[in-house]
Amino acid sequence: MLLDKEKCLSAAQRVLREEAEALLDLIPSIGSNFVKACELLLQCKGKVILTGVGKSGHVATKIASSLASTGTQSFFVQAGEAAHGDLGMIGKDDVVIAVSNSGEGNELKIIIPILKRRQIPLIAICGDAKSTLATEADVFLSAHVKREACPLNLAPTNSTTAELAVGDAIMVALIEARGFTKDDFALSHPGGALGRRLLVRCEDLMHQGSAMPAVKLDESIENTLIEMTEKGLGMVAVLNDDGSLAGIYTDGDLRRTLRREISIKEPVSKVMTANCVTVGPQTLAAQALAIMQDKKISGVIVVDDKHMPLGAFNMHDLLRAGII
């Protein structure tokens, strides 16, 4: 079967347009019920339990994951399994969010009376305001769509996008209400790239002590080059007599030195870069990377508030740490 490229592109564009329009149609439905739902979730002393079946169940899983990673303790319970024992996972201090397009799934209908008997608040994200789920819930949030983007009006497309968007709206509202920060987010994502960029600081990367390349201000260029080669960072910190940072000598400075035809017996102070770029130990590694890229440098010295050098690192260290 040959693919009709024009029809393929037209279908893709139509789906994106229809799903975008479906989301815009939802905006007027965001009102007092949405506020009530967020208040229930903020006041929840237990966990937020997401439930659903089929494609809506997959959406509920994503919402649970998003909430859990942004400060709301949450997990997913499949509605069919809940009716066969997993309701025991839901405690009296929890809040349940049920996601369903029709609101009439038997799996959900079975567990609704149990939740009501146990006085566990139920929030419904549902496509039909007159459904059993919507009318029995403590709070109903509309995910209504006029039709699916599927040409047969059967495969969940607009409806699942709408459900997911309502879930995202809840998540963002709770982030803002809680004052959830980047650092909080990083603590939930320590193993990923986001976590590394938000958690790793310059003090975690720097070569310090005997591993930090350093020479005194009156040291010869020759010995400075030996120190640079031995330490392998492509730079050397140049220190005043009191140990404070006077400047830096880098691979770039070496190239400039060679053009000047200056003797390598001369003190490094004659060819170093004074007033060099430095960072503090608590500076985020991602911020240091931005500074280095802006200044077009490949290494940097870490100093304390008295300009005393604590360590040094280069682009290779950022690469190994997963910052780049």
Side-chain angles (χ1 to χ4, degrees):
M1 180 182 295
L2 293 176
L3 179 69
D4 186 320
K5 295 181 180 180
E6 291 301 320
K7 285 186 177 180
C8 179
L9 293 173
S10 176
Q13 292 166 357
R14 184 183 69 251
V15 169
L16 294 178
R17 187 179 302 108
E18 288 189 16
E19 294 202 3
E21 290 171 354
L23 294 185
L24 291 174
D25 288 342
L26 277 181
I27 294 176
S29 71
I30 301 296
S32 58
N33 270 15
F34 185 84
V35 173
K36 185 178 178 181
C38 290
E39 287 176 341
L40 274 175
L41 296 171
L42 279 173
Q43 294 165 8
C44 177
K45 296 179 180 179
K47 292 181 174 61
V48 176
I49 314 300
L50 272 291
T51 190
V53 293
K55 303 299 187 296
S56 293
H58 293 306
V59 171
T61 301
K62 189 276 178 186
I63 296 172
S65 178
S66 295
L67 289 173
S69 69
T70 54
T72 300
Q73 293 188 16
S74 178
F75 63 88
F76 172 76
V77 174
Q78 207 273 346
E81 297 298 325
H84 293 278
D86 282 2
L87 267 175
M89 297 181 181
I90 304 174
K92 61 182 179 64
D93 293 325
D94 296 338
V95 174
V96 173
I97 301 177
V99 184
S100 171
N101 182 36
S102 70
E104 296 294 347
N106 288 331
E107 298 90 343
L108 289 172
K109 284 184 177 180
I110 291 172
I111 66 173
I112 289 173
I114 308 301
L115 295 176
K116 294 180 78 68
R117 188 180 308 158
R118 295 174 61 188
Q119 297 184 322
I120 295 171
L122 173 63
I123 298 170
I125 299 177
C126 184
D128 186 352
K130 297 180 180 179
S131 66
T132 301
L133 176 62
T135 55
E136 293 293 330
D138 296 281
V139 183
F140 163 66
L141 299 178
S142 177
H144 174 72
V145 296
K146 296 174 182 176
R147 57 165 286 119
E148 300 289 2
C150 164
L152 304 175
N153 193 28
L154 293 174
T157 44
N158 291 351
S159 60
T160 47
T161 298
E163 292 164 358
L164 184 59
V166 172
D168 285 343
I170 291 172
M171 175 192 67
V172 171
L174 295 181
I175 285 175
E176 294 184 359
R178 286 197 171 96
F180 194 78
T181 67
K182 287 183 177 180
D183 287 341
D184 295 326
F185 188 84
L187 291 173
S188 298
H189 300 75
L194 285 171
R196 288 192 294 273
R197 292 182 65 85
L198 293 171
L199 286 176
V200 177
R201 301 185 184 275
C202 292
E203 64 182 357
D204 301 319
L205 297 173
M206 66 186 187
H207 300 259
Q208 51 190 317
S210 61
M212 184 186 78
V215 297
K216 288 294 184 65
L217 198 61
D218 58 355
E219 191 63 79
S220 68
I221 299 172
E222 180 181 17
N223 288 338
T224 301
L225 292 177
I226 293 172
E227 176 76 356
M228 184 188 298
T229 302
E230 288 180 350
K231 300 300 170 63
L233 292 184
M235 61 180 170
V236 178
V238 182
L239 311 181
N240 292 307
D241 290 338
D242 63 358
S244 62
L245 186 66
I248 193 172
Y249 192 71
T250 67
D251 288 335
D253 291 317
L254 172 58
R255 290 190 291 273
R256 287 184 285 274
T257 299
L258 294 174
R259 286 199 297 269
R260 290 175 58 183
E261 298 182 354
I262 190 171
S263 170
I264 61 173
K265 301 298 183 182
E266 292 288 343
V268 70
S269 58
K270 287 190 175 183
V271 290
M272 72 178 187
T273 298
N275 302 315
C276 58
V277 175
T278 60
V279 294
Q282 290 295 307
T283 302
L284 287 174
Q287 292 176 321
L289 172 62
I291 293 169
M292 293 163 71
Q293 290 175 327
D294 180 60
K295 300 296 183 181
K296 295 180 173 60
I297 58 177
S298 60
V300 67
I301 307 295
V302 182
V303 298
D304 63 16
D305 54 2
K306 295 181 179 179
H307 213 58
M308 302 295 286
L310 302 174
F313 64 89
N314 61 16
M315 284 290 187
H316 294 293
D317 297 309
L318 292 168
L319 183 62
R320 278 192 292 270
I323 307 302
I324 299 176

